[in-house]
Amino acid sequence: MPGPHDKIIANAAKAALRPLGFQRKGQSRLWFFDHSWWLAVIEFQPSSWSKGSYLNVAAHWLWMDVAPISLDFGGRLEGFEEYSSDEQFAVAVARLADRAADEARRLAAMFSSLPDTAEILLEQARTEARQAPAHPGWMLYNAGVAAGLVGRNDEAAEMFGRVLNGSGDQTSVLHLKAGRMSNLTSDAAKLRQEAASTIAQQREALRLSPWDASQL
């Protein structure tokens, strides 16, 4: 059953985030802002052992369909704030909510366009690939999709190729999706169509408003 700390979190999030256009996902501790092809996600993550909250803020790319809402760029922003009293926790969570709002604004500025997004993700993906070349991850896939959507086809092929040539499980969802998108890098229209279809499916699954694919 929800406790007093849950109500305090909900009230603080509502005060700080709803004026910015954020929506709450059901009765959960997750809030999101719809940026058409991506979501800004704020999660007041609970602990399994104590009353309180962590704070996660990230971008979720809607061209992914491996989870309802994943934290794709970003993540843990604040450590655990433990509940000890209503008064103490109200102050602590108000601070978390304000910090979340600031980070969400920063992400919105970073990812204000697909070309900007592609540039940032490509740089991050190459950094991660240099650090762990034998363990390709989803950053490579997301950078590949973003690059393909802005016509950087050679770089898109490079990103998907890094996934396919890595030592990861060739039956994994990541490997299979990278293989499918890799086959489309020579046809920009088909790659865009595939990404737009996935975005539409994700938006429908999350009960978001109808979407105009021309925004890609």
Side-chain angles (χ1 to χ4, degrees):
M1 294 291 292
H5 63 297
D6 294 301
K7 184 174 291 187
I8 291 169
I9 292 170
N11 289 339
K14 180 179 179 180
L17 303 178
R18 187 158 287 173
L20 303 180
F22 275 81
Q23 305 173 56
R24 186 180 181 186
K25 188 175 186 295
Q27 296 300 306
S28 73
R29 293 189 182 191
L30 190 146
W31 293 71
F32 64 88
F33 186 98
D34 184 358
H35 287 280
S36 182
W37 41 270
W38 68 281
L39 303 180
V41 181
I42 295 172
E43 180 187 27
F44 297 90
Q45 182 185 351
S47 165
S48 300
W49 298 278
S50 302
K51 294 179 180 179
S53 181
Y54 298 96
L55 177 64
N56 301 323
V57 183
H60 167 67
W61 312 119
L62 287 166
W63 55 64
M64 296 181 64
D65 59 1
V66 296
I69 295 183
S70 51
L71 305 180
D72 302 323
F73 190 102
R76 178 66 49 78
L77 194 65
E78 290 276 348
F80 190 69
E81 287 284 357
E82 187 168 3
Y83 171 90
S84 59
S85 71
D86 287 0
E87 294 77 12
Q88 162 269 334
F89 197 58
V91 173
V93 174
R95 183 185 68 81
L96 292 185
D98 287 342
R99 180 84 194 280
D102 288 343
E103 180 65 6
R105 292 188 189 97
R106 189 181 76 87
L107 290 176
M110 287 175 63
F111 302 126
S112 60
S113 70
L114 271 170
D116 286 346
T117 299
E119 185 65 32
I120 292 166
L121 294 188
L122 284 165
E123 181 179 356
Q124 184 66 27
R126 288 176 175 134
T127 297
E128 292 188 8
R130 286 193 297 271
Q131 294 171 346
H135 301 282
W138 281 101
M139 185 64 72
L140 288 165
Y141 176 83
N142 290 320
V145 175
L149 288 173
V150 297
R152 298 171 69 165
N153 297 342
D154 289 346
E155 290 167 294
E158 174 197 348
M159 294 296 106
F160 299 134
R162 285 178 182 263
V163 174
L164 297 174
N165 295 328
S167 61
D169 179 4
Q170 295 189 2
T171 64
S172 69
V173 173
L174 171 59
H175 196 279
L176 295 174
K177 288 176 69 66
R180 176 172 176 79
M181 295 302 282
S182 179
N183 291 333
L184 301 177
T185 53
S186 61
D187 190 325
K190 287 186 178 179
L191 188 147
R192 185 177 297 272
Q193 183 179 20
E194 178 72 14
S197 175
T198 302
I199 292 170
Q201 291 170 16
Q202 281 287 83
R203 293 184 63 83
E204 183 177 1
L206 294 171
R207 299 181 180 179
L208 301 176
S209 60
W211 178 68
D212 181 2
S214 66
Q215 294 177 65
L216 276 183

